[in-house]
Amino acid sequence: MEEFPITFFIDEDGKPIGSLSNFALHHDCKAGEAISSDFSGALARNLKAEFGNDFVSVLMSGACGNLNHVDTKVFMKKGVPSTRYLEIGRALADAAIDMYKTAEPLNVDKVGALKDYVQLTRRNLPEGFMEEIQEIYKNVELDFSQIDVSKTDTLMYKRARSTAYINFENTAKKALACVQAIRIGDLMVYAFPGEIYTQFGMNVKEKSPSKLSMIATVANCGINCYVPTPDAFGTTIYSVQIPSSTYEIESGDLMSDALIELGKKLNN
């Protein structure tokens, strides 16, 4: 299993009453149009079955902007059923229950929280791109069956995204992204806004002064887009395209560096 840090909370009698956990995987494991709590809901239900109905499970979505549980080219096709979210939730619950049996007390002598705001710059569409999009919007009939999210330079993909491109052109050139670090003794939680690529979370964890670190993403609002690594720019990957990825190439590094500094300050 991938890294799955978890902290348990117990009451005065030593009974487990809740957990704070962290796992990096897109919450898109339930196919179809239904609204679902996905694998985090399955995790919560399994932990309630083990520890009691009052047990509260809080799972923070880790740095998973480039992590999925399946080949999305197959999974995204309409009508593909999936119960994979149940399997993932069960596997996480089994791991959590095993870890609880050997869990050691967490030093919580110091607590604190800090936040910072990182200014990000919006990307620019290529010259002449919007004129092309306007023509496509007017003259091409939309056919979703012809869209392949792995081929983002096709005519039909551009037609499907045309409204989003137009809205993107009307957004502000600058944005403030809120990053936050929370210390609970030996545990440090680092919160990014947006859907962050895995490498940024790994970098923050590697440089964190704490013994145990967790990464929370899509936190504190502010930006609602993917934040890819620099080497992903220039590819046709869906999550790197404007406006799926709104801000300039250095955005992830700027936020990571700010979080690392917050962690150091909290550790003093």
Side-chain angles (χ1 to χ4, degrees):
M1 177 176 289
E2 300 298 329
E3 185 174 313
F4 179 49
I6 184 168
T7 297
F8 290 94
F9 299 86
I10 59 176
D11 63 16
E12 294 177 347
D13 298 322
K15 178 184 176 181
I17 57 174
S19 63
L20 177 66
S21 59
N22 186 211
F23 193 63
L25 183 67
H26 255 73
H27 265 73
D28 64 354
C29 304
K30 176 70 172 72
E33 299 177 355
I35 297 174
S36 171
S37 58
D38 215 278
F39 66 83
S40 60
L43 166 65
R45 290 189 293 274
N46 283 301
L47 291 181
K48 283 181 180 292
E50 175 70 20
F51 297 118
N53 198 50
D54 293 332
F55 188 90
V56 177
S57 167
V58 176
L59 182 139
M60 297 180 295
S61 186
C64 58
N66 51 339
L67 278 180
N68 279 289
H69 69 297
V70 293
D71 183 345
T72 55
K73 290 185 291 185
V74 176
F75 183 74
M76 292 295 287
K77 290 182 179 180
K78 188 174 181 181
V80 177
S82 175
T83 58
R84 183 65 172 147
Y85 73 105
L86 296 174
E87 299 168 14
I88 295 169
R90 178 70 265 177
L92 291 175
D94 288 345
I97 293 166
D98 285 344
M99 284 189 283
Y100 177 74
K101 296 174 183 177
T102 58
E104 298 180 357
L106 184 70
N107 180 6
V108 291
D109 59 335
K110 293 183 179 180
V111 295
L114 290 171
K115 66 179 179 180
D116 195 5
Y117 291 91
V118 180
Q119 182 170 277
L120 306 181
T121 302
R122 198 197 74 183
R123 296 168 66 183
N124 292 314
L125 289 165
E127 186 176 350
F129 185 84
M130 282 311 301
E131 288 80 358
E132 176 191 1
I133 290 300
Q134 294 285 3
E135 285 298 311
I136 292 173
Y137 182 79
K138 292 177 183 177
N139 300 314
V140 177
E141 184 177 352
L142 184 59
D143 182 359
F144 283 104
S145 68
Q146 299 301 311
I147 298 172
D148 184 344
V149 295
S150 67
K151 298 176 181 179
T152 58
D153 54 352
T154 64
L155 179 68
M156 195 54 64
Y157 181 89
K158 290 179 180 179
R159 172 62 182 88
R161 302 290 285 170
S162 57
T163 302
Y165 290 128
I166 294 168
N167 291 336
F168 172 83
E169 279 291 278
N170 295 322
T171 59
K173 295 287 187 179
K174 302 286 184 179
L176 289 177
C178 179
V179 294
Q180 185 178 27
I182 301 170
R183 180 181 181 182
I184 308 173
D186 290 337
L187 168 65
M188 200 83 77
V189 178
Y190 297 96
F192 284 93
E195 296 192 64
I196 309 298
Y197 268 36
T198 303
Q199 289 86 340
F200 295 120
M202 293 172 63
N203 180 46
V204 170
K205 283 187 173 184
E206 180 181 341
K207 296 177 180 178
S208 173
S210 59
K211 294 181 179 179
L212 176 63
S213 298
M214 296 184 182
I215 304 294
T217 62
V218 200
N220 297 318
C221 302
I223 65 172
N224 182 26
C225 64
Y226 287 95
V227 183
T229 50
D231 61 346
F233 281 76
T235 68
T236 60
I237 300 170
Y238 159 78
S239 58
V240 184
Q241 307 311 305
I242 296 173
S244 298
S245 169
T246 304
Y247 300 102
E248 287 287 4
I249 191 171
E250 70 275 7
S251 299
D253 287 323
L254 290 173
M255 290 190 287
S256 298
D257 291 345
L259 278 171
I260 292 166
E261 288 304 311
L262 292 179
K264 291 178 180 177
K265 290 178 181 179
L266 282 175
N267 195 56
N268 291 333

